[in-house]
Amino acid sequence: MKKKISLKDIAQKVGVSTATVSYVLSKDKESKVSIKVAEKVKKAAKELNYHPNQIAKSLKMGKTFTIGLIVADISNPFFSHIARIIEDEATKLNYTVVFGSSDEKADRSWDLINFLANRQVDGFILAPTEGSEEQIKYLQEENIPFVLIDRYFPEIDTNYVVVDNYQAAFGAVNRLIDTGHKRIGMLAYLNSLHHMRDRINGYKSALKQNNLEDDTNWLHEIDFFNIEKEVKSAIDKMLEGKLRVDAIFFATNTLAVIGLKYIDSLKYKIPDDLAIISFDQGEAFDFYYCPLTYVKQPLDELAKNAVKVLTRKIENPSARKEQICLSAQLIVRKSCS
Amino acid sequence: MKKKISLKDIAQKVGVSTATVSYVLSKDKESKVSIKVAEKVKKAAKELNYHPNQIAKSLKMGKTFTIGLIVADISNPFFSHIARIIEDEATKLNYTVVFGSSDEKADRSWDLINFLANRQVDGFILAPTEGSEEQIKYLQEENIPFVLIDRYFPEIDTNYVVVDNYQAAFGAVNRLIDTGHKRIGMLAYLNSLHHMRDRINGYKSALKQNNLEDDTNWLHEIDFFNIEKEVKSAIDKMLEGKLRVDAIFFATNTLAVIGLKYIDSLKYKIPDDLAIISFDQGEAFDFYYCPLTYVKQPLDELAKNAVKVLTRKIENPSARKEQICLSAQLIVRKSCS
DNA sequence: TTCTTCATTTTAATCGTTTAAATATCTAAA
DNA sequence: TTTAGATATTTAAACGATTAAAATGAAGAA
């Protein structure tokens, strides 16, 4: 069992104090150690293959160079893409990323925050769940830097990086209207989080501005924990009777995937029987027999800004809050023509 | 700026030494602290909302309860699914997961291993890249616990959890043969890693056992860093002339997605013009106009076993090596009938 | 009263760094 | 030769926990 090399070993080998070694290895230029000694220390460090123990350093410095990333589910492509970009940006700045999935559950999110805060992460990037306001306030009270991503709480003054969901939804639904659709349904989550309300409001506004009546059977809010079943019954409702919808707007990737599978099984044809637009991209959307029109969120910018805002806040606690709202892009393809 | 509560603060408040507090909070039952004092300490800890500093604990104990996960790319669904399961299993055992993406590059992988080892992760779960043998040997020399996942090096005696790729490929190709196909092409990566060689060998064996000649134009090994272009030219080659293939076996999800998009653009119809089987599942595969037959890898078992083997090794360094090989399942659907 | 014994609590070292402050060494001017 | 001043190096405390070992104190025995 080879023991780890520490400053002490180098000090011993060279015959100086650990302080000197530390100065050479971590201050170098700015230190006042003589060149002669410095050279010897560096040589010894190399020979012994010394690597500083970052845990000890963290304890002393009160900084871990670690970012806690909390998302709903790391295996959801939306979040895993974001995670990847965050990883790359963090690496450039010498940070490590530790992650956790909340499964949209506030208590899981609480556990994760505590767990990671005890491990002294320098800050958090989080996609907050419904009902996690007190957690956010806790972080503020504890002065732990964080930035919200994807979702935010308009009534709490925090750093955040989000997409303009209202405009994105508004634009998407308008596109459906422009292409002659008049009875447009929407599938969203039953969720009070602002990003979802914005998507729904964008949809409603577009209908209203175009004087399209708004049937109660057209908007369906799906319980996140019972998606499959509720999507099916929602689609059944939308498609029954002679006043059935002629287009559907899906508020997320997951809803679209499940919904379209069901629509296929009912033998409806896109875009002739039904036009479709969905939020988020997905490999599946390209692959569908009728390539889907979708709202493309700027994942790259979202993630890069999150890291930038967070690290700025970590390095300068008095940095003023940043609230970034990016626009999404509608990628138009066959499913809505 | 609220300062963090430490053992010292509790000690002060109760009027005892930090040792006593530590005994109460971390040993409790087995400690010999009087019930009276113990109660007071617990009460104070609760009142002050004390949370132990895990960094300090890690330094003292020489254990961080952290697992380093190194995969090719966390945004690849294959790996993000695995990451999610690893996360869940690790959480149950009180471990945190930190991750890094190697992009299949050995030097990136080296950097990640060093970076995370300096942060004193207790062990690694890694999907090794081509040419990373020396890294594996380094971990062995340094006595850092690790387990390989998805890929392994047969010539190095390590812990690993992998899938029987040979059998999986052999079975898939046999299925194509059973359904009457005689000229079967394969798209794989140009990679010396054993998991890829096994898939290729499984394919070759199946052809040979069925006395199907094996045309040099049928197997194409694609450079990982130039996928798009090489997939297209490989498919062009497979489909040219009158001896064109009547089925294609894709060695990975990514190859299949890119390949099928190209095949679609050429207006070939699955399964009539061409039968298809691919490795790995993918949302897209369900969504394709002709649902794809695929080799389903047991991601759950893969990840769960990896965590189990690793934590066992961490907790008992003398645990003997475990080499687990799981079987994949062929999910048969329309694309090969 | 003095000595054991035992339960309880504290002291102090430790993990591997950093860094302010103290000390030692050297140079050059008086 | 002395000494101020600069330069180089070490000492020692600190970060926040753990834990072996020493100390304390009270009860019971002699």
Side-chain angles (χ1 to χ4, degrees):
Chain A
M1 187 68 162
K2 229 160 73 176
K3 91 178 243 303
K4 284 264 170 79
I5 300 299
S6 73
L7 281 188
K8 212 196 242 170
D9 301 302
I10 301 180
Q12 222 141 53
K13 173 154 178 166
V14 178
V16 293
S17 72
T18 61
T20 303
V21 178
S22 174
Y23 282 125
V24 172
L25 263 26
S26 57
K27 289 285 179 312
D28 202 16
K29 293 289 102 170
E30 312 91 81
S31 83
K32 43 228 156 77
V33 180
S34 69
I35 299 181
K36 217 171 56 188
V37 173
E39 287 308 321
K40 279 203 281 186
V41 166
K42 286 187 207 162
K43 185 157 154 275
K46 178 147 269 175
E47 279 174 18
L48 294 174
N49 190 28
Y50 170 73
H51 289 282
N53 180 324
Q54 299 293 341
I55 293 292
K57 196 168 189 162
S58 294
L59 177 60
K60 186 77 233 275
M61 309 296 256
K63 182 157 196 227
T64 55
F65 276 97
T66 302
I67 292 175
L69 171 65
I70 301 183
V71 296
D73 179 3
I74 193 73
S75 72
N76 176 326
F78 175 77
F79 290 117
S80 69
H81 273 119
I82 285 181
R84 178 56 206 268
I85 305 161
I86 289 176
E87 180 205 337
D88 288 347
E89 294 301 302
T91 301
K92 285 183 203 157
L93 303 169
N94 257 289
Y95 281 79
T96 327
V97 181
V98 317
F99 69 93
S101 307
S102 69
D103 276 331
E104 303 285 3
K105 298 192 186 117
D107 56 345
R108 269 293 289 145
S109 167
W110 248 134
D111 290 347
L112 285 166
I113 287 178
N114 280 319
F115 194 66
L116 298 180
N118 294 346
R119 281 169 153 75
Q120 315 299 121
V121 298
D122 292 333
F124 287 95
I125 295 180
L126 40 121
T129 66
E130 192 173 20
S132 63
E133 289 89 339
E134 52 168 346
Q135 302 167 30
I136 306 300
K137 286 183 189 139
Y138 169 78
L139 291 174
Q140 286 182 325
E141 277 163 24
E142 297 286 321
N143 258 280
I144 300 175
F146 69 95
V147 52
L148 304 185
I149 192 168
D150 184 40
R151 306 104 180 255
Y152 74 113
F153 298 102
E155 70 281 11
I156 313 182
D157 183 35
T158 67
N159 290 303
Y160 62 74
V161 186
V162 298
V163 165
D164 187 342
N165 286 292
Y166 176 88
Q167 269 306 325
F170 185 80
V173 175
N174 264 313
R175 173 82 201 181
L176 288 170
I177 295 172
D178 290 348
T179 48
H181 301 91
K182 297 203 177 325
R183 298 186 307 282
I184 301 169
M186 176 174 188
L187 249 66
Y189 284 130
L190 179 60
N191 189 305
S192 65
L193 282 169
H194 217 257
H195 73 304
M196 195 51 66
R197 303 326 300 175
D198 279 348
R199 292 181 194 182
I200 291 173
N201 289 333
Y203 158 81
K204 286 183 175 167
S205 293
L207 291 190
K208 184 170 288 173
Q209 278 195 23
N210 289 277
N211 302 308
L212 292 176
E213 61 192 312
D214 155 11
D215 189 297
T216 48
N217 273 346
W218 288 359
L219 169 63
H220 291 266
E221 299 186 27
I222 305 297
D223 178 2
F224 190 82
F225 302 102
N226 190 21
I227 302 184
E228 196 97 16
K229 217 162 133 187
E230 296 201 2
V231 164
K232 286 185 182 173
S233 83
I235 289 178
D236 284 340
K237 281 210 189 90
M238 288 190 202
L239 295 177
E240 79 190 359
K242 50 193 171 309
L243 273 182
R244 69 177 193 76
V245 301
D246 55 13
I248 298 180
F249 176 45
F250 290 102
T252 77
N253 185 330
T254 309
L255 290 171
V257 168
I258 295 174
L260 286 171
K261 278 189 196 162
Y262 185 57
I263 288 172
D264 284 354
S265 76
L266 298 176
K267 308 284 181 211
Y268 288 96
K269 284 293 163 212
I270 317 296
D272 297 332
D273 300 334
L274 214 47
I276 300 286
I277 295 186
S278 174
F279 240 84
D280 303 334
Q281 34 199 148
E283 211 157 61
F285 292 178
D286 299 340
F287 239 58
Y288 197 51
Y289 68 89
C290 169
L292 287 191
T293 296
Y294 61 89
V295 174
K296 179 181 179 181
Q297 299 200 58
L299 301 187
D300 243 76
E301 275 189 90
L302 214 56
K304 283 184 181 166
N305 276 296
V307 174
K308 198 164 67 188
V309 171
L310 179 64
T311 52
R312 182 178 301 159
K313 177 73 181 174
I314 290 172
E315 267 140 42
N316 172 16
S318 64
R320 76 172 205 313
K321 297 214 171 61
E322 300 220 40
Q323 286 147 355
I324 300 180
C325 183
L326 306 166
S327 11
Q329 190 189 356
L330 188 67
I331 305 291
V332 176
R333 299 193 298 184
K334 275 214 280 198
S335 75
C336 68
S337 57
Chain B
M1 187 68 163
K2 229 162 72 177
K3 88 179 241 304
K4 283 267 170 75
I5 300 299
S6 73
L7 279 189
K8 214 198 242 167
D9 300 301
I10 300 181
Q12 223 140 53
K13 173 155 180 166
V14 178
V16 294
S17 72
T18 62
T20 302
V21 178
S22 173
Y23 282 127
V24 172
L25 264 27
S26 57
K27 288 286 180 312
D28 202 18
K29 294 286 105 171
E30 312 91 81
S31 83
K32 42 226 157 74
V33 181
S34 67
I35 300 180
K36 217 170 56 187
V37 173
E39 288 307 322
K40 280 202 279 185
V41 166
K42 286 186 207 160
K43 185 157 155 274
K46 179 147 266 175
E47 278 173 20
L48 294 174
N49 190 27
Y50 170 74
H51 289 283
N53 180 324
Q54 298 294 339
I55 294 291
K57 195 168 189 163
S58 294
L59 177 59
K60 183 78 232 277
M61 308 296 257
K63 179 153 197 226
T64 56
F65 276 99
T66 303
I67 292 175
L69 171 66
I70 300 183
V71 297
D73 179 5
I74 193 72
S75 72
N76 177 325
F78 175 77
F79 290 117
S80 68
H81 273 117
I82 285 181
R84 177 58 205 267
I85 305 161
I86 289 177
E87 180 205 337
D88 288 347
E89 294 302 302
T91 301
K92 285 183 203 158
L93 303 169
N94 256 288
Y95 281 80
T96 328
V97 181
V98 317
F99 69 92
S101 306
S102 69
D103 275 332
E104 303 285 3
K105 297 192 188 116
D107 54 348
R108 269 292 290 145
S109 168
W110 247 135
D111 290 346
L112 284 166
I113 287 179
N114 280 318
F115 193 65
L116 298 181
N118 294 347
R119 282 169 152 76
Q120 315 298 122
V121 298
D122 292 333
F124 288 94
I125 296 179
L126 38 120
T129 66
E130 191 172 21
S132 63
E133 290 89 339
E134 52 168 344
Q135 302 167 28
I136 305 300
K137 286 182 188 139
Y138 168 79
L139 291 174
Q140 286 181 324
E141 279 163 23
E142 297 287 321
N143 258 279
I144 299 175
F146 69 96
V147 51
L148 304 185
I149 192 167
D150 183 43
R151 305 104 182 255
Y152 74 113
F153 298 102
E155 70 280 14
I156 313 183
D157 183 33
T158 67
N159 290 302
Y160 62 74
V161 186
V162 297
V163 164
D164 187 342
N165 286 292
Y166 176 88
Q167 269 307 325
F170 184 79
V173 175
N174 264 313
R175 172 82 200 182
L176 289 170
I177 295 171
D178 290 348
T179 48
H181 301 90
K182 296 203 175 329
R183 297 185 309 281
I184 301 169
M186 175 174 188
L187 248 65
Y189 284 130
L190 179 59
N191 189 307
S192 65
L193 282 170
H194 217 256
H195 73 305
M196 194 51 66
R197 302 326 302 172
D198 279 346
R199 293 181 192 182
I200 291 172
N201 289 334
Y203 158 81
K204 286 183 176 166
S205 293
L207 292 190
K208 186 171 284 171
Q209 279 195 22
N210 289 276
N211 301 309
L212 293 176
E213 63 194 310
D214 154 14
D215 190 296
T216 48
N217 275 345
W218 288 359
L219 170 64
H220 292 266
E221 299 186 29
I222 305 297
D223 179 0
F224 190 82
F225 302 100
N226 189 21
I227 302 183
E228 196 97 16
K229 216 161 133 187
E230 297 200 3
V231 164
K232 287 185 182 175
S233 85
I235 288 179
D236 284 339
K237 280 210 191 91
M238 287 191 204
L239 295 177
E240 78 188 2
K242 48 195 171 310
L243 272 182
R244 70 177 192 76
V245 302
D246 56 13
I248 299 181
F249 176 46
F250 289 102
T252 78
N253 186 330
T254 309
L255 290 171
V257 168
I258 296 175
L260 285 171
K261 278 189 197 164
Y262 185 58
I263 288 171
D264 284 353
S265 76
L266 299 176
K267 309 285 180 208
Y268 287 97
K269 284 294 162 213
I270 317 296
D272 298 332
D273 300 335
L274 213 47
I276 301 287
I277 294 186
S278 174
F279 240 84
D280 303 333
Q281 34 197 150
E283 211 157 63
F285 292 177
D286 299 340
F287 238 59
Y288 197 51
Y289 68 89
C290 169
L292 288 190
T293 296
Y294 62 88
V295 174
K296 179 181 180 180
Q297 299 200 57
L299 300 188
D300 243 76
E301 275 189 273
L302 213 55
K304 283 184 182 168
N305 275 297
V307 173
K308 196 164 70 187
V309 170
L310 179 64
T311 52
R312 181 177 302 158
K313 177 74 182 175
I314 289 172
E315 267 139 43
N316 172 15
S318 65
R320 78 173 203 314
K321 297 213 173 60
E322 300 220 41
Q323 286 148 353
I324 300 181
C325 184
L326 306 166
S327 12
Q329 190 189 356
L330 188 67
I331 305 291
V332 177
R333 300 193 297 182
K334 277 214 282 206
S335 75
C336 68
S337 57

